[in-house]
């Protein structure tokens, strides 16, 4: 009887292994698992992680537009649920703007792109020190130029290379140790023109020396690292093709 009691006491004293958090799963690139964990945890923060994971799958791991749209819609539902728990939540608000931009990109909609930019401008007016939002603005300007050229991007959308540079510079100044921003900037530059390879190489080399602190930074740093290998080998065309594959909706092909 004594041995049974001792065994029971040992079992009770043994700590249970906690399930991985949504944030840790997102950082590990386990996006479907992060979605499940985030919705199960059901806090504002975890619901945002779940939505971000759905956007990652839609933008970087999906080759079907209908599936991408469905994932973006599901992400928006999670962001809305987060906002219901935490009204005015800054991260959820920004992620909804990013999702809006993704839909505009999928639809190749100038009107949608303008609406997203209007929302982003309002967000930055309220949160001028948000580095991620500035990087999103840099990507919006650079992505528009890469997609339709300088003239059309400027006349139809008001997007330009000067706006791209200013926004990315601001993002990097606000978060000088985050590899996400120089990585995203470098990939965007290569998407525009492989002649930007020297600047992209310098940015990716800089990013490679920075610690990645969250899932977003880890994903972009890893993507940039693969492109940097090609640049270091002198394969600028190959680096451009690789950059395009790892930018949002690269699996759908360059439009």
């Amino acid at each position: 009887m004594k041995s049974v009691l001792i065994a029971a006491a040992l079992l009770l004293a043994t700590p249970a292994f906690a399930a991985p958090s949504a944030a840790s799963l997102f950082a590990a690139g386990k996006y479907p698992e992060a979605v499940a964990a985030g919705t199960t945890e059901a806090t504002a923060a975890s619901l945002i992680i779940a939505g971000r994971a759905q956007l990652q799958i839609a933008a970087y791991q999906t080759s079907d537009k209908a599936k991408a749209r469905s994932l973006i819609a599901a992400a928006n539902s999670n962001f809305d649920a987060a906002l219901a728990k935490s009204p005015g939540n800054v991260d959820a608000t920004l992620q909804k703007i990013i999702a809006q931009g993704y839909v505009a990109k999928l639809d190749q909609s100038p009107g949608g792109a303008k609406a997203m930019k209007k929302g982003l401008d309002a967000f930055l007016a309220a949160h001028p020190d948000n580095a991620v939002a500035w990087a999103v603005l840099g990507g919006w300007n650079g992505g528009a130029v890469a997609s339709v050229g300088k003239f059309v991007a400027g006349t139809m959308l008001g997007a330009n290379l000067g706006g791209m540079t200013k926004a990315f510079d601001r993002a990097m100044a606000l978060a000088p140790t985050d590899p996400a921003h120089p990585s995203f900037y470098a990939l965007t530059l290569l998407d525009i023109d492989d002649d930007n390879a020297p600047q992209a190489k310098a940015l990716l080399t800089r990013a490679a020396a920075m610690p990645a602190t969250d899932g977003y930074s880890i994903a972009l740093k890893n993507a940039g690292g693969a492109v940097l290998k090609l640049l270091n080998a002198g394969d600028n065309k190959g680096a451009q093709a690789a950059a395009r594959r790892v930018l949002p909706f690269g699996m759908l092909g360059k439009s």
Side-chain angles (χ1 to χ4, degrees), residues 182-183 186 198-210 224 228 231-232:
S183 296
Q199 186 180 359
K201 181 178 177 180
L203 286 163
L204 291 174
T205 300
R206 173 180 168 186
M210 296 176 179
L228 181 58
L231 290 172
N232 285 335

Side-chain angles (χ1 to χ4, degrees), residues 32-104:
E33 294 90 340
V35 174
T39 52
T40 297
E41 293 168 25
T43 65
S46 73
L47 288 164
I48 293 168
I49 290 291
R52 289 179 66 192
Q54 287 164 319
L55 290 186
Q56 286 289 115
I57 299 168
Y60 300 100
Q61 298 182 353
T62 303
S63 57
D64 179 79
K65 284 188 178 183
K67 182 179 179 182
R69 288 191 180 92
S70 176
L71 284 161
I72 294 168
N76 265 320
S77 294
N78 278 318
F79 300 141
D80 286 338
L83 286 166
K85 291 176 178 289
S86 176
N89 185 285
V90 173
D91 290 339
T93 301
L94 178 57
Q95 291 301 319
K96 282 185 69 67
I97 293 169
I98 292 170
Q100 183 182 16
Y102 281 175
V103 172

Side-chain angles (χ1 to χ4, degrees), residues 115-210:
M116 181 270 190
K117 172 64 160 44
K118 183 176 180 180
L120 184 57
D121 286 343
F123 180 91
L124 280 167
H127 308 285
D129 293 333
N130 190 297
V132 174
W134 281 106
V136 171
L137 180 59
W140 183 88
N141 278 279
V145 172
S147 296
V148 297
K150 293 180 184 179
F151 179 77
V152 175
T155 55
M156 287 187 64
L157 301 174
N160 56 73
L161 296 179
M164 174 192 71
T165 300
K166 179 181 177 181
F168 276 123
D169 283 348
R170 181 65 175 150
M172 292 188 294
L174 288 167
T177 61
D178 190 337
H181 307 316
S183 296
F184 187 22
Y185 189 9
L187 297 174
T188 303
L189 285 167
L190 286 171
D191 189 24
I192 294 168
D193 197 320
D194 69 303
D195 285 345
N196 291 323
Q199 186 180 359
K201 181 178 177 180
L203 286 163
L204 291 174
T205 300
R206 173 180 168 186
M210 296 176 179

